[in-house]
Amino acid sequence: MAAKIIDGEAIAAEIRQQLKKDVAALEHAGKAVKLVAVIATENKGARSYAARQEKDCAEIGAQYELAELPADSDEAAIVARIQQLNADRSVSGIIVQMPLPQGVDARRLQTMIAPAKDAEGMNPANQGMVVYAPQPFYKKPAEGEPGYDNWLEQSLGWPLPSPAPCTPVGAVTLLRSLNIDLYGKEAVVVGHSEIVGKPIALLLMAHFCTTTICHIATRDLASHVRAADIVVAAAGVPGLIKGEWIKEGAIVIDVGINRVEVLDENGKPVLNKKGKPKQKTVGDVEFDVAKERASYITPVPGGVGPMTVVMLLKNTVDAAKKG
Ligand code: NAD
């Protein structure tokens, strides 16, 4: 079976269109939407990520501001800036840009952002709301019971928590977009980080998947993946999930983003114009083999990545709606 490719760019574009309408409605009601990025670095990657955020905000009609601090700022100075933004009624969402100056604790900063303005959804209060994901059912109704007829719509349509970690909500939104009954499906999440693996596993459980979490200490990764109806790969190891492990018809969501060298047919690095090895972005799953076995698969790039970006905007717009 050749898998259908899940087009994250297209689904993210649809969400952006809706957000644009939401921002216009908020403005009409006298509420501007503003995302502020706290930045204390000259790092090129951080600056280009900020430029991307600015462009994304402009596209949906939201305001964007950089709260600049010197690259040698200490934690107290950054916390003080975050507290000002927490208190500023014109600010809907706050993000702290990485990397941070040496010695500054990212986790502490995330706890200092007011939960209601937490654009990345990483404040422990918002992580906690993922545990409390408002799963509206105790179990699937039996045939003839109330709710049976519109089960699929109900079970995939309840609002996901917000603000909540962007990548997990983005990945689960892709899964929901397939309009498949997730009740009782065997799901395997490879990776158990706070930002990706753990919240994804919690959200899958809220959809009644029987969820297994694998990580670096898992003894037989292959056997877990082989049994899965849904595989979510989030380890950051290129090619970790072998295509032949994927069960026929399984759904594959590849969160991994890895830069690897492009090789020629002899396995030698292909060089670019500057004579340096050419690189490309790949996920954690052996895509070419996996796509012949899976029913649906996300590409890398173009799968989960665009969803992460749009969820940052959604968290901010949702915050403005509540503010
Ligand atoms: P992390 O390093 O914090 O966590 C990696 C996880 O993978 C850990 O739980 C670790 O135990 C597990 N792991 C590592 N090697 C393993 C192995 N050989 N076998 C089994 N488990 C293994 O990384 P993270 O921040 O959770 O990110 C994971 C990947 O997702 C990275 O590639 C990252 O770039 C990517 N990512 C993508 C997006 C996106 O928008 N698509 C967003 C965030 C992170």
Side-chain angles (χ1 to χ4, degrees):
M1 181 198 288
K4 291 195 178 118
I5 306 296
I6 304 173
D7 187 347
E9 291 286 1
I11 295 167
E14 269 174 39
I15 297 171
R16 265 199 304 275
Q17 281 313 310
Q18 182 55 49
L19 292 176
K20 196 172 174 176
K21 288 182 195 155
D22 293 350
V23 171
L26 282 163
E27 287 232 332
H28 192 69
K31 273 191 198 175
V33 179
K34 192 201 277 184
L35 175 64
V36 178
V38 176
I39 189 160
T41 177
E42 289 306 324
N43 177 282
K44 259 187 169 173
R47 293 278 157 182
S48 74
Y49 185 36
R52 167 82 198 257
Q53 289 161 8
E54 185 169 15
K55 187 171 152 280
D56 287 340
C57 282
E59 202 181 320
I60 63 160
Q63 298 171 25
Y64 182 81
E65 232 174 71
L66 276 182
E68 300 253 11
L69 285 114
D72 59 356
S73 301
D74 62 10
E75 198 168 288
I78 304 177
V79 167
R81 191 75 181 94
I82 290 172
Q83 281 168 336
Q84 272 174 7
L85 296 168
N86 286 342
D88 183 341
R89 290 182 64 87
S90 75
V91 175
S92 332
I94 304 168
I95 174 173
V96 174
Q97 216 78 296
M98 303 292 147
L100 291 163
Q102 228 177 356
V104 176
D105 181 355
R107 204 179 281 211
R108 179 165 142 70
L109 295 187
Q110 275 156 351
T111 66
M112 297 312 296
I113 296 174
K117 296 188 179 188
D118 176 24
E120 286 191 295
M122 286 300 294
N123 182 297
N126 290 323
Q127 288 273 26
M129 290 314 287
V130 178
V131 177
Y132 284 96
Q135 174 191 339
F137 322 95
Y138 167 65
K139 68 178 180 63
K140 183 174 177 176
E143 197 168 349
E145 280 181 355
Y148 177 78
D149 290 342
N150 61 352
W151 161 256
L152 191 60
E153 197 185 332
Q154 294 286 316
S155 66
L156 301 179
W158 51 270
L160 291 167
S162 175
C166 299
T167 304
V169 173
V172 170
T173 302
L174 289 183
L175 200 53
R176 280 180 164 202
S177 76
L178 306 178
N179 225 24
I180 284 171
D181 191 359
L182 301 175
Y183 195 82
K185 290 267 189 293
E186 295 287 333
V188 166
V189 182
V190 184
H192 76 323
S193 68
E194 288 90 8
I195 192 167
V196 188
K198 281 182 195 166
I200 288 182
L202 288 164
L203 290 174
L204 291 173
M205 276 186 272
H207 290 81
F208 289 98
C209 294
T210 301
T211 307
T212 303
I213 306 178
C214 298
H215 44 63
I216 194 75
T218 299
R219 280 197 291 248
D220 186 359
L221 183 60
S223 71
H224 291 288
V225 174
R226 282 186 206 277
D229 303 310
I230 298 166
V231 179
V232 182
V237 181
L240 175 68
I241 311 295
K242 303 293 169 229
E244 62 175 48
W245 297 353
I246 302 297
K247 185 160 96 176
E248 278 293 333
I251 299 166
V252 178
I253 307 285
D254 193 349
V255 182
I257 299 180
N258 309 291
R259 295 289 289 166
V260 297
E261 289 183 358
V262 179
L263 303 177
D264 66 15
E265 61 275 16
N266 303 315
K268 296 235 168 80
V270 176
L271 302 182
N272 64 18
K273 282 179 196 154
K274 291 181 182 164
K276 296 210 169 127
K278 233 182 177 175
Q279 292 199 321
K280 62 176 177 178
T281 301
V282 298
D284 290 352
V285 179
E286 230 178 31
F287 182 83
D288 288 343
V289 185
K291 81 171 194 313
E292 297 305 322
R293 301 175 64 85
S295 54
Y296 294 92
I297 190 166
T298 57
V300 178
V304 179
M307 296 298 287
T308 297
V309 177
V310 85
M311 288 305 159
L312 183 74
L313 302 178
K314 183 169 185 304
N315 280 337
T316 304
V317 173
D318 287 347
K321 283 183 193 167
K322 290 180 200 158

